[in-house]
Amino acid sequence: MTCRRQHGAIINTAEDLVMTDLSLAAQARSPKALYTIDAAISGILGIALLAGAGPIADLAGMPAAAGFLMAVGAFLLPWALFNYAIGTATGPAWSAILANIAGDAAWVAISILLLATHWTTLNGLGQTLLAGQALFVAIVFLTKLRGAPSLRRS
């Protein structure tokens, strides 16, 4: 690593900075990083649903669904911890990886079922939120599925 001192501070060369950026980008693309990112998103969403289930249900056009949204929020907190455990484990258990991927698949399937059965009850924002999160979780599911074999070897 080549460095030079300037005004008492160590300055990295452009080559060092590029290598550091590439290393960080590689870490962000690792399958384990996806689990920690999923943990953060699930935790934040869980807290938001627990704290604001009523207003969120009203905005979505389903005021009667506030209890359901609170239950979803309560589910997401241990789900976040489960994702975090996989993402930070040295060698995550294959059964945990498969259970997590199956959970994401079930989430997508249930979201599609809810969208189909409540399409006319939801307003435009509710339809968009439900479809958007289903699409996001489907992408996470496919990405986890693709990265699963490399986690088995870690």
Side-chain angles (χ1 to χ4, degrees):
M1 182 165 138
T2 56
C3 299
R4 63 185 170 87
R5 286 197 172 270
Q6 181 176 351
H7 305 291
I10 297 175
I11 307 296
N12 291 324
T13 63
E15 178 183 315
D16 294 333
L17 293 174
V18 168
M19 293 305 291
T20 300
D21 287 347
L22 291 176
S23 174
L24 292 173
Q27 288 174 8
R29 284 193 308 267
S30 83
K32 287 178 74 172
L34 180 61
Y35 286 90
T36 56
I37 293 167
D38 194 4
I41 293 169
S42 297
I44 291 167
L45 184 58
I47 291 167
L49 287 174
L50 283 172
I56 293 170
D58 289 342
L59 283 172
M62 288 193 67
F68 174 74
L69 292 180
M70 285 188 75
V72 171
F75 166 80
L76 285 173
L77 297 180
W79 181 256
L81 292 174
F82 183 40
N83 273 289
Y84 183 77
I86 293 171
T88 58
T90 303
W94 185 241
S95 59
I97 294 166
L98 293 179
N100 190 281
I101 291 170
D104 284 342
W107 184 280
V108 172
I110 291 168
S111 295
I112 291 169
L113 179 64
L114 287 171
L115 197 56
T117 57
H118 296 286
W119 183 261
T120 57
T121 309
L122 293 166
N123 61 25
L125 179 62
Q127 293 166 344
T128 302
L129 289 173
L130 189 54
Q133 65 80 35
L135 178 62
F136 180 79
V137 176
I139 292 167
V140 169
F141 160 75
L142 292 172
T143 307
K144 286 180 181 177
L145 192 61
R146 183 175 176 218
S150 68
L151 286 176
R152 191 170 196 176
R153 292 187 293 268
S154 65

